[in-house]
Amino acid sequence: MEQIKTIPKEKFSFVSGGDKVHDKKLDTKPVGYFTDAFRRFCKNKGSVVGAVIILVLILFAIIAPFCTPYSVAYKDAYFRETLPKSSLFAGTSFWDGCKTKEASKARFKYLFAMGEETGHNAVKNQEYKLTDDGMYRYREDSYYSAGCIYKNFTLEEYARLTKYQDETGVQVIYPTVRIADRPKATQDFEDANYYFKTEGTTRTKIVYDENGNVIPVYWTYKAGEDDSYPYNSLRIEGENGFEKDGETYYYAYARPVPTGVQCRINYYEYYVYNHRNDGIKKPLFLFGTTGDGQDILTCLASGARFSFIFAIAVAIVNMAVGAIYGAIEGYYGGKTDLIMERVSDILSAVPMMIIITLLKLHMGASSQILVLFLAFFLTGWIGMAGATRMQFYRFKNREYVLAARTLGASDRRLMFKHIFPNALGTLVTGSALVIPSMIYSETNLSYLGIINLSSGNITSVGTLIAGGQALMETSPHIALFPSIFLALLMLSFNLFGNGLRDAFNPSLRGTEG
């Protein structure tokens, strides 16, 4: 049998009849309502994780736009659908802005020749493998795949560009190609990456030398007989006049056009030159770019910031209006409640889509944000009013309320001093859960194109997802990052809302909020 533990005799002491025996004074401090709610919330690990994720997403929305040199309005036609790239992973096959591809010899040589000419390898590290079926497998660098382009400059712009070359030692302008040697096909005529010999009806079939290399067809001119525009700047390596048939020849770097000159430039280096005063040292997009050439990181952060601000603003307005409306309903009851409740029923019966359509027709397409705000406000406060009404019916006949009324408290004091604080927990929880639903609704509306928020420096998460949907096969990253953001937001708010409900209303723990 288990031994019974006894208390030693020395633990006991006699009490004289004159001693007063009383309870000791409590040393603990009183715990307030919100302090107690916070303690209960912290015990729910899932809710704490959800709150941390929400905080991270909010900080991302606030801070990220200030940490990138790009803006929502920024677009670049030559960096469309560019893959995500991080400098930390540049030497790996992950997050390096490259994509593994297989192509025929013609397509591969077209890209391989870019790196041979400029050193900017469209084929990463000029590494490739031949497959058993004669295809070339390689990793294509989306930052270098634009290669060279033809661009017209005024003489002043041309002078500034050549001066930049001389000062930095960076080759931007490359030898140009005569019109007669360019491809005939309309879609390829302005493709400046055809600097090599081609043949065929459209002159796009590459001609190789005996070693399997492309044959350059730069525009050359005999010394003293130049019909191109004078060029006195950095030349490509190994070219400063060459002998041919006993004559000295040079490469032409600029072709005269009515507005100035046309040059063949490496777009990567020209991009660096063109944005040197914008804080952009080189093109680098952490999340890649959209189909319009926008930086996804900037657009996502700006869209998230708009969603948070918009949802919180609507939630605050709806809570204020709904709380006042519901308080009047629940406190006075009777005919007042009946009439006000019927008004709520009529407004709640009108579909959101009809409200948005009517507002757009009345206010025009230039007031998309105001249309969205009014649409959410006109019906959004009804749920908050109903919750407040039920709480007032619950508490208005409690003893402390009756006592305050007996002592002469006014209706306003009874409503907002004695009853409303007891309903605050439910209202706060409801408001917190309204925020993600509004963000989700706003995302759906912009995704479907019902509301267009892409104007100037404003965009939305839904617009990004919609833009990436059509490019899922070729560029899934465009829709991936906005989708991850939305999924994390909805999941974390769900966890956070459940914890908030349990903290403010312990009696509802384990029930659906």
Side-chain angles (χ1 to χ4, degrees), residues 232-251:
N232 298 303
S233 185
L234 198 65
R235 293 179 175 269
I236 63 174
E237 185 177 355
E239 192 274 309
N240 193 19
F242 57 93
E243 297 296 323
K244 180 181 178 182
D245 300 329
E247 301 284 351
T248 302
Y249 286 83
Y250 294 92
Y251 289 148

Side-chain angles (χ1 to χ4, degrees), residues 151-298:
K151 185 170 179 62
N152 293 347
F153 297 97
T154 64
L155 297 183
E156 293 79 8
E157 293 171 337
Y158 177 68
R160 286 196 294 268
L161 182 55
T162 55
K163 182 181 179 181
Y164 168 82
Q165 284 193 149
D166 295 334
E167 291 176 348
T168 61
V170 175
Q171 190 79 48
V172 181
I173 305 175
Y174 282 79
T176 190
V177 178
R178 287 182 181 273
I179 292 178
D181 294 324
R182 299 180 188 180
K184 288 184 177 180
T186 303
Q187 66 271 22
D188 297 316
F189 177 77
E190 291 295 333
D191 189 342
N193 292 308
Y194 282 100
Y195 70 93
F196 38 78
K197 187 176 182 179
T198 55
E199 62 182 9
T201 55
T202 59
R203 273 209 303 271
T204 54
K205 183 179 179 181
I206 304 174
V207 178
Y208 304 99
D209 62 14
E210 61 275 8
N211 297 319
N213 299 318
V214 298
I215 305 170
V217 288
Y218 296 132
W219 180 358
T220 60
Y221 64 90
K222 188 187 301 184
E225 298 180 1
D226 183 14
D227 55 350
S228 67
Y229 192 83
Y231 178 78
N232 298 303
S233 185
L234 198 65
R235 293 179 175 269
I236 63 174
E237 185 177 355
E239 192 274 309
N240 193 19
F242 57 93
E243 297 296 323
K244 180 181 178 182
D245 300 329
E247 301 284 351
T248 302
Y249 286 83
Y250 294 92
Y251 289 148
Y253 288 77
R255 182 174 72 89
V257 293
T259 56
V261 294
Q262 182 188 75
C263 296
R264 181 171 169 269
I265 59 173
N266 178 260
Y267 189 74
Y268 185 95
E269 293 298 347
Y270 178 73
Y271 181 94
V272 176
Y273 160 77
N274 203 35
H275 292 281
R276 65 193 186 282
N277 296 323
D278 301 332
I280 302 175
K281 296 182 179 179
K282 60 180 179 179
L284 184 67
F285 307 101
L286 195 62
F287 287 177
T289 63
T290 67
D292 294 325
Q294 296 172 288
D295 178 43
I296 294 177
L297 173 63
T298 304

